[in-house]
Amino acid sequence: MDSLKKKVIIIDYQLGNLFSVKQACETVGINAKISSESEEIINADALILPGVGAFIEAMNNLKKLGLDTAIKDKVTKGTPLFGICLGQQLLFTESEEFGAGNGLDLIPGIIKRFPEEFEERKIKVPHIAWNTIYKYNQDWSKTALSALENNDFMYFVHSYYVKPSNESCVLTKTNYDGIEFCSSIIKNNIFATQFHPEKSAEKGISIYKNWALKNNLL
Amino acid sequence: MKTVRIIPRLDIKGPNLVKGIHLEGLRVLGKPSDFAKYYYEQGADELMFMDVVASLYERNSLHDIISETAKKIFIPITVGGGLRSISDIKEVLRVGADKVCLNTAVIKNPQLIREASRMFGSSTIVIAIEAIKESDGRYLAYTDNGREFTGVDVFEWAQKVDELGAGEIVITSVDNEGTGQGFDLELISKISNIVSIPVIAHGGAGKQNQVLDLINDGNANAVMISSMFHYHFIKENESKASSLEGNVEFLNQKRNFHTFEPCTISDLKNLLINNQIECRL
């Protein structure tokens, strides 16, 4: 039956650790393959864009491998995409730090860095912690977060966060030491999280499962 | 919200979980995977695996333990011990580690921090600093489980580690490690105040209240604990805490257990939450 199963490509642009993403997929029964071939992206039923590392290097690698246009084409045509951490940031227009036109520009908005100080407090950056995600305008029941409760803890590790131009895509927000930021988004076929569901224990794994179910990938 | 992380530390020698005092005099406690699974179920925020003899042999031998653990345990895993180069780091990340912990290699070649953080992302690179307080009151950094003198000032080194792009620092008080006497709050709060990155405190946890003091007075962002949790696990699971290499006698006698107040991760987290310290339960 495996040949009939929907094929999900975990996009490998040679940064970070894809082992745990693949492991999470296997645990919930997603037929996932790690690949850096644009051909495989074009033929995929759904895409996962993971990532740890630097925005500029990630974009350079995607371009070098010819994956940026492949991803944009697929997602524009309606293929489900699940972005994680840096993979969420790459979907946006640009990074504040590196200038205009750097991202995949599937969602209008910018990438900001946490400040070193906030309200006269020193802020530790990166934000490395379990932190709560809470509802922002949207109902979770029809999304990959359907098994979660408001204020459940997820695992974060990042120095940058996304600031969408239009807040209608914001699915959850999170507050780090007084600074509120967008911690996940949903827009048509795109779902993306700043936290790492594959590192967020059983609740995090439920996000993989429910993303796959909502998109008929199992 | 600002939460603290509770990180059980598993020191590994060959196939066994071990525990020493002042990072020395290792005793075998049991099978690492049993402890790892138990801590995951108990709500550990991350796990740290340290190959404690790797530096001696210049290689990390945890690959099998890591890949087995990473298949079933969905929390961050940090691996340390004997990692010397970019290719060593790549290899442990490939088998399932999320972060690597470096000490000896970066003391010898600090630029490795910059290179590795660029390549793998800052948050993947954790720097361990093993501090010993000298008789003149200075804190100096050591390597190889507190055996090798480097002459490097701990606070200057911590600042440099931060500047070079590391994601976190694990500060170990070698003097307090394995003793259960409590943390070196002077050392930890000073480190935490001079760096911009998160600090994980390690060395000395014996009682739950000491962890509370650490968070309140030491400004730590996370705490790494071995004995308190290991001894609780052994008490609860006597049959599993055995070993092929002996030391069963030590375990049965529970010698030096008296300086520790064994507890579960959730006991400790409940205490913190009751004292207005946020953490994931």
Side-chain angles (χ1 to χ4, degrees), chain B residues 103-177:
Chain B
N103 178 6
T104 308
V106 293
I107 288 249
K108 284 182 185 156
N109 172 21
Q111 289 307 317
L112 181 61
I113 300 176
R114 192 183 294 277
E115 205 186 331
S117 353
R118 278 211 184 125
M119 187 165 280
F120 306 106
S122 276
S123 53
T124 308
I125 308 303
V126 183
I127 303 301
I129 302 180
E130 292 169 3
I132 293 182
K133 194 173 188 174
E134 306 295 316
S135 50
D136 61 2
R138 286 190 310 154
Y139 285 94
L140 296 183
Y142 281 69
T143 62
D144 298 272
N145 303 315
R147 276 191 293 267
E148 295 293 322
F149 177 84
T150 66
V152 174
D153 179 86
V154 162
F155 304 110
E156 285 169 20
W157 175 230
Q159 277 176 311
K160 192 161 180 198
V161 162
D162 186 358
E163 283 161 23
L164 287 167
E168 286 177 282
I169 289 174
V170 179
I171 177 74
T172 300
S173 160
V174 178
D175 303 309
N176 294 29
E177 202 280 334

Side-chain angles (χ1 to χ4, degrees), chain B residues 34-35 38-39 229-237 240:
Chain B
D34 292 338
F35 285 79
Y38 181 74
Y39 294 146
F229 295 152
H230 293 346
Y231 293 164
H232 185 272
F233 175 88
I234 291 166
K235 276 180 154 179
E236 297 294 303
N237 304 274
K240 281 187 179 164

Side-chain angles (χ1 to χ4, degrees), chain B residues 8 13 18 22 28 42 61-62 86 107 140 145 155-156 196 228 250 254 269:
Chain B
K13 181 185 177 188
V18 296
H22 308 303
V28 174
Q42 282 276 321
S61 61
L62 299 183
I86 292 291
I107 288 249
L140 296 183
N145 303 315
F155 304 110
E156 285 169 20
S196 67
M228 270 167 72
F250 159 75
K254 300 190 177 57
K269 286 190 168 184

Side-chain angles (χ1 to χ4, degrees), chain B residues 11 16 28-29 36 51 56 59 73 79 101 109 119 141 150 155 167 176 184-185 187 190 207 220 224 240 256 262 268:
Chain B
D11 289 341
N16 296 314
V28 174
L29 299 186
D51 185 339
L56 234 47
R59 64 182 163 77
I73 287 181
V79 175
C101 186
N109 172 21
M119 187 165 280
T150 66
F155 304 110
N176 294 29
D184 185 335
L185 297 181
L187 169 70
K190 195 164 170 195
K207 295 183 172 63
M224 206 169 260
K240 281 187 179 164
N256 97 340
L268 178 58

